[in-house]
Amino acid sequence: MRREHFTLVVDNVGWVETDDEPRKPSVSIEFTGPSTMLRERLTGPDGEVLDAGETDVALRLQDPLDDATAGVVSVTNRITGEFILELNEDADDVLQFISAARGYGERTSDDEGRYEVEITLEDEPEPFVTYDKRTFLVYDEDGSLLRQHSLIPSGVEL
């Protein structure tokens, strides 16, 4: 699977800048490559699709953080540590998304999650999986966790 086979679109982040009513940020990831491998990666050994608690979402910066830093967004299998998917994104855009998710969590009592992730396969009209997530980890170019930029719910130890 190639990174260019993935397209990422975010919704519900503009309310932060305009101080409108909070709306749960969402990210839609569309995969346009051969779907067999991605289906396998999103499925556990029991044949069931992985649930939200079995996946992690992260941003790994490729250079020191500044206005033009690129990053790699990844979804991984929390149990095995294997990558499910990776795609290149502008780090500033991802950090804006994380800020909206943090703000949503602070302004609402939604215990389900602070943001939503949908993964859609090209040959299916409906998302293959939809996850409500509470955590989004950010790592610097050396692999060190950047807590101040990450979305980590209170009470969670890493």
Side-chain angles (χ1 to χ4, degrees):
M1 290 188 305
R2 296 184 157 171
R3 292 180 184 173
E4 55 269 6
H5 286 152
F6 294 96
T7 304
L8 184 140
V9 176
V10 299
D11 287 310
N12 299 334
V13 295
W15 64 267
V16 175
E17 292 179 5
T18 60
D19 204 29
D20 285 342
E21 188 70 29
R23 296 184 0 215
K24 183 184 280 189
S26 66
V27 59
S28 299
I29 301 171
E30 182 180 356
F31 180 64
T32 58
S35 63
T36 303
M37 185 180 292
L38 185 56
R39 285 177 196 276
E40 289 172 1
R41 290 182 181 187
L42 286 165
T43 303
D46 60 358
E48 296 293 319
V49 174
L50 298 173
D51 66 27
E54 296 174 303
T55 62
D56 287 313
V57 181
L59 169 68
R60 185 179 67 248
L61 301 175
Q62 295 180 317
D63 294 304
L65 189 58
D66 65 26
D67 290 339
T69 301
V72 176
V73 172
S74 64
V75 177
T76 58
N77 182 320
R78 182 178 290 171
I79 309 304
T80 65
E82 294 175 5
F83 286 102
I84 296 171
L85 63 90
E86 288 185 318
L87 57 132
N88 297 326
E89 286 297 320
D90 179 76
D92 202 42
D93 291 344
V94 178
L95 294 174
Q96 180 183 15
F97 179 83
I98 292 171
S99 176
R102 183 178 294 113
Y104 177 79
E106 291 169 353
R107 296 182 187 190
T108 66
S109 61
D110 189 348
D111 292 333
E112 294 284 317
R114 293 185 175 195
Y115 66 98
E116 182 179 271
V117 176
E118 285 184 350
I119 301 174
T120 304
L121 306 174
E122 183 178 46
D123 56 351
E124 293 187 13
E126 298 296 317
F128 184 69
V129 295
T130 301
Y131 298 134
D132 277 324
K133 302 294 289 176
R134 299 177 64 212
T135 305
F136 199 127
L137 303 176
V138 179
Y139 297 93
D140 68 13
E141 68 278 12
D142 296 321
S144 298
L145 179 66
L146 298 175
R147 284 187 170 275
Q148 73 274 23
H149 295 293
S150 296
L151 178 63
I152 304 171
S154 62
V156 172
E157 289 293 323
L158 298 177

